[in-house]
Amino acid sequence: MHLIDALDAEILLTLDRDPQATVLSLSRTLGVARNTVHARLRRLVNDGSLAPFSQRVRTEALGLPLIAFISISISQSSSDLAVAALQTIPEIIEMHATTGDADLLAKVAARDPADLHRITNAMLAIDGVVRTSTAMSLVEVMPTRTVPLLQAAAQK
């Protein structure tokens, strides 16, 4: 993965404003060659700088409006197997290894509190998962954002 430079940032910000923009319209808007825009976009996709389109789908649109953050403590002797098993639970939409009291932090999407309870029980049934602690999101105050970071990169 390469570092996003000012031109990459401008391309992405322009696409954010107009997701349907063509390579030709991007090149005209930004005043750079069409081939340059095309090559930059291809590189951003190929090197993993851009996440897949599926990550833009809001969980509410899938009937999963409840978001929770679950801290998971796992047995260190079976951590790889436990992580692999947790990855099979489709409602776990993001997971990070963390420092602190728990080993993992999972972002989970659920239909309702009863569904969240089912998901948590599925986690606890996995060999190596010792305990969980759940915090439900009441409202998304600020979604994941990178626009301010891209704007800063575009100024360099």
Side-chain angles (χ1 to χ4, degrees), residues 95-113:
M95 191 164 48
H96 298 266
T98 60
T99 61
D101 293 334
D103 302 298
L104 301 168
L105 180 63
K107 183 177 180 182
V108 173
R111 288 188 306 275
D112 52 39

Side-chain angles (χ1 to χ4, degrees), residues 51-117:
F53 278 103
S54 63
Q55 289 187 0
R56 295 179 62 187
V57 176
R58 302 206 38 101
T59 58
E60 298 94 325
L62 296 169
L64 302 166
L66 188 147
I67 296 295
F69 298 92
I70 302 178
S71 298
I72 306 166
S73 296
I74 56 175
S75 167
Q76 296 306 309
S77 63
S78 58
S79 64
D80 290 343
L81 294 173
V83 168
L86 287 164
Q87 290 172 340
T88 68
I89 299 173
E91 296 87 356
I92 297 176
I93 58 175
E94 189 174 339
M95 191 164 48
H96 298 266
T98 60
T99 61
D101 293 334
D103 302 298
L104 301 168
L105 180 63
K107 183 177 180 182
V108 173
R111 288 188 306 275
D112 52 39
D115 191 37
L116 178 61
H117 182 70

